[in-house]
Amino acid sequence: NPATDEGESRGGSHPARRGAQEQVDKLRTKLDQTIAKTVKLEQQSERHRKTLSEYDSRAHDFSELRQQYHILLKDQQALTLARDAHRDQINDLQDTLRANSAADCQKALQILREDTQQGFDHFQEQINF
């Protein structure tokens, strides 16, 4: 076709059309690259969300453990105070028991002395008769 040959020989396809096609191709390439970057960013963002969610869960678990630790610490302190109070009571009771035992021993000794003295006096009376 001579007209077509003549048009192509003057610059090939129409220059404006070729320029527009090149711009469309460049824009498509740029769009594809932008879509690929967006997909990568979305994937990275999703990984970060999962990581943050995991950290948040761990932080919550840590917070609960910390609260339980403080409760146990208070319980331990209360138990230590109660134990010390019971030890004081035991010591007081042992002191009282020792004092009572000593008093009972003193009383028994006094009774024994009195009985011995009475026995001795009775023996003296029999001898003097």
Side-chain angles (χ1 to χ4, degrees), residues 61-123:
D61 292 347
F62 178 74
S63 178
E64 285 181 2
L65 287 173
R66 192 167 188 207
Q67 288 174 350
Q68 290 175 359
Y69 168 78
H70 286 295
I71 290 169
L72 290 173
L73 187 60
K74 286 180 184 178
D75 288 350
Q76 179 62 38
Q77 291 168 344
L79 288 171
T80 299
L81 290 174
R83 182 201 64 203
D84 292 345
H86 285 146
R87 279 186 182 164
D88 290 344
Q89 274 185 325
I90 288 170
N91 289 336
D92 290 346
L93 288 171
Q94 286 175 337
D95 291 344
T96 302
L97 183 60
R98 276 191 222 97
N100 286 344
S101 293
D104 288 344
C105 287
Q106 288 290 341
K107 194 181 223 180
L109 186 57
Q110 183 64 34
I111 292 171
L112 187 57
R113 283 183 186 148
E114 290 172 1
D115 285 349
T116 304
Q117 187 63 44
Q118 286 176 0
F120 183 73
D121 290 345
H122 180 67
F123 181 69

Side-chain angles (χ1 to χ4, degrees), residues 31-46:
L31 178 64
D32 290 344
Q33 290 172 347
T34 303
I35 289 172
K37 284 180 184 177
T38 303
V39 168
K40 284 182 183 179
L41 288 173
E42 285 176 351
Q43 290 170 345
Q44 191 177 21
S45 177
E46 183 59 28

Side-chain angles (χ1 to χ4, degrees), residues 11-25:
S13 64
H14 192 275
R17 185 173 181 182
R18 192 173 54 230
Q21 187 61 43
E22 286 174 2
Q23 270 190 331
V24 167
D25 290 345

